[in-house]
Amino acid sequence: MIQFRIQPDSEIPASTQLFNQMRFAIASRQYSPGYKLPSTRALAMQTGLHRNTISKVYRQLEEDGFVESLAGSGIYVRAQGHEGGSRLQSPILQQHPEASKVLQQALDELIGQGCSLNQAREIFLAEIDWRLRCGARVLVAAPSKDLGVGDLMVYELEDTLQIPVQLVAIEELAAILDKTTSATVVTSRYFINDVEAIAAPKSVRVIPLDIYDYSKELNLLKTLPKDNCVGIVSLSSGIGHQAEVILHGLRGDDLLIMTTQPQDSYKLQAIVKRAEVIICDQACFSIVQTAVQAASEDIIRPPKLIKVDSYIGTNSINLLKRELGLG
């Protein structure tokens, strides 16, 4: 069972600490769809929290669409977006709800065996046509208050898939989809429920992206000496905020955490001059390197730079390649 750590003397409410840690576990696929959450008794023994507090967190996770409660069984992580089997519906698929799942598995197996999409079209014409039509346009959806995380996803997807990807604010997604049905919408699991609520009624495919679990980086931070300063530089303000909450749960006030986006030169310079370790997105790495070099005369010991190679999990990249017919 994943170990959740709560800082009882923190200004951040215990329920908020646990909620953020559990949401991170779901978004990073440590708790995959169908996973049964620990009982409130088991989690109370691990964290020291009252069972009522844990029940409150579970209710919030359910209200936000991350989990679902099955009477007499327990609470399970929900399947989201395309992984839940959502498809452009036809009368035949409505009569046979399992047909779409069977069709998809068979198609993936054919492609894995070397069958081209054109060859498979003869067997699964409707499914292949749908995939090709949706793959003509890939949209990344992110909230307007944190378009930086969308920029990060676009950066990685274009680099990996070698196709154009368009960033769209979630608040503007409905208007964009009103003008087209030939699209695939991808987004982080943090935002999947809002995006699916907009896209599903329009029969547009939505695929949730798993995020990297940052296990190597977290293991390093667990071993840093007390009072070390850690800088986090990301295109996304949300990633910085989530990192602060997660790291607070791990180390409390043992570490000083400083976060910024690369365009904030004042904060970036402060991090470069103060931090012993700086963790940054792949898209930010060269900017941080340049800032360290520019401040070299003012730094006694240069910070250790750690480049996070990906924000999007490998499994999600492979899923997108299959769905878009990219091999």
Side-chain angles (χ1 to χ4, degrees):
M1 183 168 65
I2 296 175
Q3 295 298 309
F4 298 104
R5 292 180 173 85
I6 304 300
Q7 297 296 328
D9 299 326
S10 171
E11 294 180 358
I12 301 176
S15 59
T16 300
Q17 294 183 50
L18 181 59
F19 177 82
N20 277 274
Q21 291 182 47
M22 297 200 75
R23 194 168 64 158
F24 174 77
I26 294 171
S28 62
R29 204 74 167 187
Q30 296 175 78
Y31 280 172
S32 57
Y35 184 90
K36 183 178 180 180
L37 298 188
S39 67
T40 56
R41 182 186 300 275
L43 207 51
M45 293 178 63
Q46 179 194 137
T47 62
L49 298 178
H50 195 280
R51 292 176 65 182
N52 287 345
T53 301
I54 297 171
S55 295
K56 174 185 174 183
V57 171
Y58 280 4
R59 285 195 299 272
Q60 185 63 53
L61 287 169
E62 185 169 15
E63 289 173 3
D64 290 352
F66 292 100
V67 302
E68 57 184 349
S69 177
L70 301 180
S73 178
I75 299 176
Y76 297 82
V77 177
R78 284 187 64 236
Q80 298 165 317
H82 181 63
E83 71 186 2
S86 61
R87 275 289 193 272
L88 181 63
Q89 295 296 310
S90 71
I92 296 176
L93 291 180
Q94 291 175 1
Q95 295 173 16
H96 306 281
E98 290 298 313
S100 180
K101 181 178 180 181
V102 173
L103 191 102
Q104 181 186 355
Q105 292 173 343
L107 178 59
D108 288 340
E109 183 176 351
L110 283 174
I111 294 174
Q113 293 175 0
C115 182
S116 70
L117 284 179
N118 286 331
Q119 292 169 328
R121 185 193 299 269
E122 299 299 319
I123 307 170
F124 303 124
L125 183 59
E127 176 70 10
I128 293 299
D129 283 346
W130 188 74
R131 287 192 180 201
L132 292 176
R133 181 163 53 84
C134 289
R137 189 178 189 187
V138 178
L139 306 177
V140 166
S144 58
K145 65 181 180 181
D146 187 17
L147 284 178
V149 74
D151 287 326
L152 182 58
M153 288 188 282
V154 168
Y155 177 89
E156 293 190 9
L157 290 176
E158 289 190 334
D159 181 62
T160 305
L161 302 179
Q162 296 295 302
I163 60 173
V165 179
Q166 180 183 351
L167 175 60
V168 177
I170 293 175
E171 294 80 357
E172 300 172 3
L173 182 60
I176 296 293
L177 295 183
D178 282 340
K179 301 176 183 178
T180 180
T181 57
S182 301
T184 291
V185 181
V186 296
T187 190
S188 164
R189 288 183 185 277
Y190 278 111
F191 320 122
I192 182 64
N193 298 305
D194 291 337
V195 171
E196 195 173 26
I198 296 169
K202 302 178 184 297
S203 297
V204 173
R205 175 169 54 176
V206 180
I207 299 179
L209 298 177
D210 302 331
I211 67 172
Y212 170 57
D213 64 12
Y214 297 92
S215 56
K216 291 189 297 184
E217 291 76 16
L218 289 172
N219 286 334
L220 169 67
L221 295 176
K222 290 177 183 177
T223 64
L224 287 181
K226 184 178 180 181
D227 296 328
N228 263 210
C229 177
V230 177
I232 297 174
V233 183
S234 174
L235 292 180
S236 166
S237 59
I239 289 177
H241 174 71
Q242 288 295 324
E244 285 186 287
V245 174
I246 298 297
L247 293 179
H248 183 80
L250 289 174
R251 295 292 301 265
D253 296 325
D254 283 355
L255 300 177
L256 172 61
I257 309 298
M258 300 175 67
T259 67
T260 189
Q261 293 174 274
Q263 63 267 29
D264 191 331
S265 58
Y266 178 80
K267 285 187 177 180
L268 181 58
Q269 290 177 16
I271 287 176
V272 165
K273 294 178 181 179
R274 175 68 178 84
E276 283 84 10
V277 175
I278 300 177
I279 300 174
C280 55
D281 302 331
Q282 184 178 6
C284 300
F285 186 69
S286 61
I287 299 175
V288 176
Q289 275 187 317
T290 301
V292 171
Q293 292 170 359
S296 58
E297 294 183 359
D298 300 324
I299 303 174
I300 298 176
R301 178 178 297 177
K304 179 178 182 180
L305 300 185
I306 298 176
K307 178 175 67 173
V308 179
D309 290 330
S310 67
Y311 172 72
I312 304 171
T314 302
N315 289 339
S316 286
I317 293 293
N318 292 335
L319 170 63
L320 276 172
K321 287 182 177 180
R322 293 197 305 270
E323 292 291 330
L324 300 175
L326 300 177

